[in-house]
Amino acid sequence: IGDKTYWFANANSYLEFTTATKPASARATAHKGANETTSAVRSEKPPSRVAGGHHGLRSGLPSTSGWWRLAIDTCFYLGYGIHDYDISPGTREWHVNMGLLKQNACPITLGSEDNVYESASSKLWLAVMDMVPGTIANPQGYTVTDDVSTLDAMSYSSAFWVASIVESAAQYLLLGGTLMSASAEKDGNSKDFYWTDGGFIDTTGVVAHLQQQRTSIVAFYNNNDDLEVLAAPWAFLFGRSSATDTMNHLEGPELGQVFADTTLFDQVYANLTDGSILRASLSNVEILENSYLGTSAYTVSG
């Protein structure tokens, strides 16, 4: 595909990566499939930053931890002929949100009527990675001790499939080994976590911007559920009660509120669900201090 620059867009973030023409050895054996050409391509690239190195497409199955990362790596290879070591986060600041769920809390139980996880404050936390330097911030003050690459962050932040496993005793018993583990420490104490889709805490991607105290935010919302069916991802940000599902904003409206004026949600919701409008604009919005999500009190101008 030659030397080209591509952009990977996801919610309010973007990724820039560059592909170079494949080495002749890789092109010559491309018809054999990704497995056979992996070693030829890898020999000309630096090793992955992931602990344990690049595992290659041969070593992971859906019954092993890390299979999701390998699946995404395969998509990049099949689509662009590149692997994780070819992907650069670029130089422009951007952030990706992920979830950290304590391993000793699993399997978890959600509310029977609203699907809210009542123990979220002490068991399910947000982690936001500043992708250019590769640093991860956690509002609870824990430091992730594992190496996390650009590809890792993309796989963790999109791991929607974790929900059905950690929310079922049977599935957790049978498939718990497929979950992606993380270690984090605070004040010398280490805890074991599972990485989850960032949507478990914030589907919109807005919170990561509020943590940085951005004064202007443009957000594009694209979820797998119609907003008229699942309003919780926006309702909770305004502190409004609404039933959620098993994957989105499990912390509920009390922990999830960041916008001080709860009455603003009615007009936002009306605009976003009106087929002739499908957009909403807010100006001079007061943001709450929220220790769970890591936001400070300030004003978003628009």
Side-chain angles (χ1 to χ4, degrees):
I1 55 181
D3 294 326
K4 295 183 179 180
T5 297
Y6 295 85
W7 295 87
F8 176 90
N10 180 16
N12 305 299
S13 303
Y14 60 86
L15 168 66
E16 179 184 10
F17 61 91
T18 302
T19 65
T21 303
K22 295 179 186 177
S25 58
R27 291 200 304 273
T29 58
H31 66 280
K32 295 183 180 179
N35 289 354
E36 289 87 345
T37 62
T38 298
S39 59
V41 176
R42 187 193 313 147
S43 65
E44 300 186 27
K45 301 293 182 180
S48 168
R49 288 200 294 126
V50 183
H54 179 70
H55 299 291
L57 302 180
R58 292 169 292 192
S59 63
L61 296 172
S63 60
T64 63
S65 178
W67 72 271
W68 182 244
R69 180 189 184 281
L70 291 171
I72 294 180
D73 186 31
T74 302
C75 289
F76 272 98
Y77 184 81
L78 295 178
Y80 306 108
I82 61 174
H83 281 300
D84 59 335
Y85 37 66
D86 292 298
I87 302 174
S88 168
T91 58
R92 296 189 180 187
E93 182 181 358
W94 61 291
H95 300 80
V96 165
N97 64 337
M98 303 163 280
L100 286 171
L101 175 63
K102 286 185 178 179
Q103 291 188 15
N104 61 12
C106 297
I108 66 175
T109 301
L110 306 182
S112 58
E113 296 183 0
D114 57 11
N115 284 321
V116 169
Y117 181 37
E118 296 296 337
S119 299
S121 62
S122 60
K123 305 294 185 181
L124 177 64
W125 300 334
L126 185 66
V128 178
M129 183 167 172
D130 188 340
M131 297 301 288
V132 177
T135 56
I136 299 176
N138 165 249
Q140 285 69 29
Y142 275 78
T143 299
V144 175
T145 56
D146 305 296
D147 289 332
V148 179
S149 70
T150 301
L151 185 65
D152 290 332
M154 289 190 289
S155 62
Y156 300 156
S157 68
S158 60
F160 64 92
W161 51 272
V162 170
S164 63
I165 298 175
V166 300
E167 295 164 10
S168 164
Q171 288 198 45
Y172 184 67
L173 177 64
L174 295 173
L175 300 172
T178 67
L179 301 175
M180 298 172 288
S181 299
S183 295
E185 63 179 18
K186 178 181 180 181
D187 300 329
N189 296 317
S190 181
K191 300 289 185 181
D192 294 322
F193 297 86
Y194 292 125
W195 290 109
T196 77
D197 190 310
F200 279 31
I201 302 98
D202 176 33
T203 311
T204 68
V206 168
V207 171
H209 294 288
L210 297 179
Q211 289 178 341
Q212 303 298 315
Q213 297 191 28
R214 304 303 185 200
T215 55
S216 296
I217 299 172
V218 178
F220 295 87
Y221 184 67
N222 183 16
N223 198 6
N224 54 315
D225 290 294
D226 191 300
L227 194 56
E228 292 182 302
V229 176
L230 184 68
W234 287 101
F236 289 176
L237 295 181
F238 290 88
R240 298 288 290 271
S241 296
S242 178
T244 187
D245 61 8
T246 60
M247 298 182 186
N248 294 274
H249 287 252
L250 303 185
E251 76 275 14
E254 292 185 12
L255 288 176
Q257 183 178 2
V258 290
F259 296 113
D261 189 348
T262 61
T263 64
L264 293 175
F265 173 70
D266 295 323
Q267 190 59 57
V268 169
Y269 180 76
N271 279 22
L272 293 180
T273 55
D274 186 330
S276 64
I277 302 176
L278 297 178
R279 62 185 181 278
S281 178
L282 296 174
S283 299
N284 299 318
V285 183
E286 296 299 320
I287 304 302
L288 295 172
E289 180 178 354
N290 183 320
S291 60
Y292 175 73
L293 294 177
T295 61
S296 301
Y298 80 106
T299 302
V300 176
S301 57

